[in-house]
Amino acid sequence: MEYTDTRDNAVRVNLKDAVLSGMNPATGGLYIPVRIPKLSPALLERCSAPSFRDIAFEIAKLYCSDVIPDTDLQAIIADCYPFNTPVVPVDPVTYVLELFHGPTCAFKDFGARFMARLMAYFNRSEKEPLHILVATSGDTGSAVGSAFSGVDGIGVTILYPKGKISPLQEKQLSTFTGNVRALAVEGTFDDCQRLVKTAFTDKKLRKTFRLSSANSINIARLLPQSFYYVYAVLSVKCRSLHDNKIENPAIIAVVPSGNFGNLTSGLIAKEMGAPIAGFVAATNSNKTVPDWIASGRYEPRRSVPTLSNAMDVGAPSNHERITAMYTDDEVKKILAAYWTDDNGTLEGIKCCHERTGYIIDPHGAVGWQAWYDIRKGAMLKLMSGFPNKTENPGLTPNIPSWAQNVLDNKAVGILLETAHPAKFGETVKSAIGREPPMPDRLEKLLHLPDNSVPMKNDYREFSQWLKKNLQ
């Protein structure tokens, strides 16, 4: 399996080089497979859904078999995923894919744990340590820190925007020790991401240190996130007729979206053959991608803080991968784009709880609000010639290829619930009047000391800190 560069399609590297370098230091481009392999018909046509770990292994083999023996790969998968991925029906045509059962209670555990073990496997014969730089708007950093904690030969530096994530998320980041460090940056997530990307293109720094990334700019984060898309759609395909009497439904993945890595993983799953009819890209007030879908112009901007802070991204990196995979017209056929503000987020939490009894986190609530509005008239309005104005929260005025299935009641939605609601207890309480129960693994963090390092939004200061502290 070979990988190319989003900015130079003549580039060819193997999986090891793509993973350990993170991105192409010569161009700043992101790695994508030259060819996306296809899932076997035997897997896709099974009458009962395979286990998550079986699916993970079958997909991982497509990308890793030329560099990792099957026995080693099976051991990596087993070590990565000792937790489950429940697909929970909350109404007849809506399923919630719970991605918060890992150690840090967020979907980032799926990609981070696989990536950490892949990097450790590839790094075994290296004499010099590998240094991971990662920017986070909430959950990525804690998942990466947890995944790499105690791994020999690899150090991790996490950059997060000070005061712009939830207190519990900050506690998850600031309490690491040993080979994992956290920098509290005076700025936004985009500033953190800019510092990291500048470091990767700093030739002098890269001559001094072996650097890699653990953001969704690293292909090793994206590929394993495709595992749960395939698992979820096969599970829903097997049970849908029983749940809602819809035979062969159009399955729509509703994806809370910030840096758009999770959505890109879903697109990869679709290209592998997973029976996904389309996607809803659900965003908050950082609506760079919905505006691009609406206007055809991609205009990055500074991010603004919202209640769904992990999606506070004004310049999503994976837009570059999406446009390398599809033309603008193809994107509009696959995607419906939707955005809402903080009031809509709170309404989503409240609406979901009142109608289903399910407690959803602020990011999932953006997805719930999108899917609920689409079903309750927004898509009909759009197809009837009354599009929403792009400056107002709601559905972007493009009609995806699967839109008629919604009107004909032949579509079901899988809503990706990306984090445990207890990580945003105050926000949830303001919407439904009570906080969700907190898992023990989060409760224990509250009593640990803060070890984060303050950092200005200044590349010179950041690079000097790296030179002083990385060994």
Side-chain angles (χ1 to χ4, degrees), residues 335-372:
L335 291 185
Y338 181 100
W339 76 277
T340 192
D341 54 19
D342 282 349
N343 288 333
T345 301
L346 291 171
E347 179 58 32
I349 298 172
K350 181 181 179 182
C351 176
C352 181
H353 185 249
E354 287 181 347
R355 292 183 175 273
T356 71
Y358 192 88
I359 300 178
I360 203 163
D361 94 294
H363 306 80
V366 174
W368 166 270
Q369 194 74 347
W371 180 238
Y372 185 78

Side-chain angles (χ1 to χ4, degrees), residues 5-50:
D5 174 354
T6 52
R7 300 183 185 181
D8 182 0
N9 60 17
V11 168
R12 294 292 186 273
V13 299
N14 61 25
L15 180 63
K16 178 179 179 179
D17 291 340
V19 170
L20 293 183
S21 62
M23 61 189 292
N24 188 342
T27 67
L30 309 182
Y31 290 117
I32 56 174
V34 171
R35 174 188 60 83
I36 294 179
K38 299 297 183 182
L39 298 166
S40 71
L43 178 65
L44 295 174
E45 295 169 7
R46 284 179 57 165
C47 295
S48 59

Side-chain angles (χ1 to χ4, degrees), residues 372-403:
Y372 185 78
D373 282 0
I374 284 170
R375 289 184 293 152
K376 298 301 179 180
M379 189 63 77
L380 175 61
K381 221 177 140 184
L382 173 59
M383 294 184 70
S384 300
F386 300 98
N388 181 54
K389 293 182 178 179
T390 56
E391 63 268 24
N392 296 331
L395 194 60
T396 301
N398 73 286
I399 301 174
S401 61
W402 46 266

